[in-house]
Every structure is written in C-alpha cells, then in structure tokens.
Amino acid sequence: MIRPIELSLATSPARRFTRFIGVALGGGRGKTTAVARLERVETEGDAPRVRLAEARLRHGHRGSGEEGGEGGGDPLFRDEVLVAYLQRWVSDDTVVAIDAPLTLPPCIRCPLACPGVQACTVPVVAWMRKHAPALHAARRSDPGKPAVTPYTQRAVDVLLTHVGLSPRESLGQGMGPLAARAAYLRRVLSPLLRLHENLIEVHPPATVTRLFGAEVEHRHRRSDSEQAWELRKRMLTALDSVLAFDFVWPEVVVRSPHVFDAVIAGVTAFLWAHQGWQGPLDLQPAQSAAPSEAVTPDPLRAAIAGLEDRWLEDGWIWVPPAPGGGRV
C-alpha cells in the first residue's frame, strides 16, 4: 500500500522557480525522449503546489497537455525539437531537470598526460581511489573487479551506489550515447542553462526509491502491464499534496515509463527548489543521538567530508535527502 506523502516544503525557498521541466532523455532519434512541464500554482494555504501542464513523448498526442505548436514539423523530441522546446519555455523562473549525465567522468575530461589511475594526482580521482574500496566493500560481487574506474564513473556514482540508489555508471554499458547527447544539449543550450543553477541532473529511479521505497521502484519497472500502470497511478495519487493534473490525462503518464520518468524528474526539480537540497550532505541520514560503540563507522561521512566542493565540477545527481534527515 502506498500512503499519501507529506512533504516539508519551504514557502520562501532560496531557489525561486515557478516552472519545472523534466526531461527523460532518450537517444537522438527522439522515440523515447519525453518532457513534462510543471507550473507552480497559488494555493489558499501556505504550502506550494504545482500543476502538470504537459507530459508527452511527442507533439500532437491527445491528453498530453497544452499544445504549443512548436514541433517544427517533427512530432518527436529529436535534438532540434527538444532544443526549440527548451528555448521556448526556459525563463528566469525555470529550472530544467534531465535524467542523463551532464558531466563526463574525470579521466575523460582530463587534458593532462595520464600516469594511470593508481598514480593520478587529480583530486577527484585521488578521492575515488581512497574512498571507493570502503564504500563498495559490502556491495562488490566480484572481488577481482577494480574498486573504481574513473573513466566510466564519477564521484556521485560511487556515493549513490553505497547508499543503495543504484545509479547507472556515467559511461557504463549503454550510457555512452545518452551521455554524448546530454553533453551536446548542455553545450548548445549554454548559457541559457547553467549547471547547478537552473539545470540539474536527476535519476527518477532514485527519487522513487527515496519517496516510495526500493520495492515499489522495482515493481513498477519490472513489466509494462496494467499492474505497473496501477502502481504508477498510486504513486502519483500519493503526491497529491504537491502535484495536480491540468490538461494531462493520468493514463498518458502511467502507461509510458518515459513520460512517467519525465514527470518524476519535474517533481524532483520542484522538491530540489523548495526543500533546499545541498548535494552530498543530503545522502547522510540523521545522526543518532547516542550511537552504539559496537557499530562499525559508516565510511560515508568521511567520504563526503573528503569530497569537499569537488562535486560541483565533477557533477551531481540530485536525489531527495536521506530518510530521517528531516526533509522528506
């Protein structure tokens, strides 16, 4: 059973946005790329709320929301259509959340002569080499596998794996084309979109896991069936305190995992703005008032402290704060 979620939201957030666009990025052909646009609405109470103004895989789909007529002759969100869409809707009050890597792993970005991972002195690679073995110790099924590969991973991949949020490796299997497309989009849309300012990277499965639990996340992705659709519908109903439907048919959202992910990406952007998320610190659960001396220290706190502000350049996947952290 999925219970309604009560979210703690700041009525005067530090990040003052009123429009939240979620993009579930697919390949360049556009067949699996979906967008969702959420608009803040005024409410009688103090709690902020957003309405789902549109959510679609292509222009012209019935029940997918307000139609702006900006398809450029192509109903699918290929590069030129997606760029035109974002250019049309992005304003000073808009934040865009994309579910694909918006930065490349450190080895791929690095212009220096390479001495190899073990001898590398680039700070974020040195951090990965130092902290990854402890962070991954309990989750490694292959003892012979390297603890970290900074040519496919970023620091955020290591940290989210440790807390059980199962991120995709930034350049892992199947992610190369999406990472390349995201890099192109970020470049062509600069300076309109600026990373960590009005552009954020998200991971809908991690958001669903934080809000509803790992079992719900697994069940709704296990099959594209009526059971999965019903589960997605119950999740959207549980978010009723912050999300209202307007022009969009719920069936359009729940029957497409891509459209559903775009909506969750938009909701993630809304929560990011109104809960004042902080980045790596959001992964830390509330510290016990009287920790047991017998408990082995979690390497997470030391790793986050050692990362400092390097995540700003290395990249970050924004997820709801850890349970018990006082925000969700």
Side-chain angles (χ1 to χ4, degrees):
M1 180 178 179
I2 298 177
R3 301 179 182 276
I5 291 181
E6 295 296 331
L7 296 165
S8 175
L9 300 174
T11 56
S12 299
R15 301 174 177 124
R16 295 180 176 274
F17 296 103
T18 59
R19 177 176 296 143
F20 309 90
I21 297 177
V23 179
L25 195 66
R29 293 183 178 182
K31 293 181 179 180
T32 57
T33 297
V35 301
R37 176 168 54 87
L38 288 68
E39 303 280 355
R40 177 166 172 168
V41 295
E42 298 299 327
T43 58
E44 294 182 1
D46 293 331
R49 203 163 185 244
V50 287
R51 65 180 179 90
L52 184 58
E54 63 175 317
R56 54 168 53 98
L57 271 167
R58 65 183 188 275
H59 289 282
H61 191 287
R62 289 185 62 199
S64 62
E66 301 170 331
E67 189 66 65
E70 297 292 330
D74 191 333
L76 298 176
F77 286 100
R78 305 182 200 273
D79 290 337
E80 65 278 7
V81 179
L82 182 57
V83 168
Y85 175 86
L86 294 173
Q87 288 174 334
R88 176 177 184 243
W89 285 110
V90 170
S91 66
D92 291 341
D93 300 319
T94 305
V95 58
V96 176
I98 299 179
D99 72 339
L102 297 180
T103 57
L104 296 174
C107 287
I108 305 302
R109 304 192 310 264
C110 185
L112 304 175
C114 184
V117 172
Q118 296 306 315
C120 181
T121 58
V122 172
V124 73
V125 176
W127 177 92
M128 296 170 84
R129 192 172 59 238
K130 176 180 179 180
H131 292 282
L135 290 170
H136 285 178
R139 297 182 178 274
R140 294 176 65 191
S141 57
D142 180 2
K145 182 180 178 180
V148 67
T149 50
Y151 46 84
T152 66
Q153 295 173 299
R154 299 170 296 171
V156 66
D157 304 333
V158 175
L159 288 169
L160 263 62
T161 297
H162 175 75
V163 299
L165 292 179
S166 303
R168 68 272 153 159
E169 285 191 359
S170 302
L171 282 181
Q173 186 175 10
M175 285 303 299
L178 286 184
R181 189 182 186 202
Y184 165 75
L185 291 171
R186 183 183 168 193
R187 184 170 183 178
V188 77
L189 288 164
S190 176
L192 179 66
L193 294 179
R194 302 171 301 281
L195 190 63
H196 305 316
E197 294 182 30
N198 65 348
L199 173 67
I200 62 173
E201 180 180 338
V202 299
H203 188 42
T207 295
V208 170
T209 298
R210 282 294 207 213
L211 296 180
F212 303 105
E215 181 182 353
V216 171
E217 162 57 26
H218 173 72
R219 284 169 53 203
H220 96 90
R221 291 188 192 277
R222 187 169 52 186
S223 64
D224 193 17
S225 63
E226 291 188 12
Q227 289 80 7
W229 302 343
E230 180 61 29
L231 189 55
R232 291 173 194 148
K233 188 177 294 185
R234 294 207 299 269
M235 283 190 271
L236 295 175
T237 300
L239 291 170
D240 183 65
S241 63
V242 297
L243 178 64
F245 277 72
D246 190 7
F247 297 106
V248 179
W249 299 348
E251 293 298 324
V252 170
V253 177
V254 302
R255 292 194 177 206
S256 167
H258 310 295
V259 176
F260 181 80
D261 278 351
V263 172
I264 294 298
V267 170
T268 305
F270 172 68
L271 297 178
W272 167 82
H274 283 271
Q275 291 187 327
W277 297 357
Q278 302 177 58
L281 290 176
D282 294 327
L283 299 182
Q284 295 184 161
Q287 194 164 14
S288 172
S292 170
E293 294 182 0
V295 175
T296 303
D298 188 342
L300 180 63
R301 292 184 183 276
I304 289 175
L307 186 59
E308 298 178 336
D309 62 355
R310 298 185 183 102
W311 61 274
L312 292 169
E313 178 184 4
D314 196 55
W316 191 252
I317 300 171
W318 293 92
V319 299
R327 289 190 176 91
V328 176

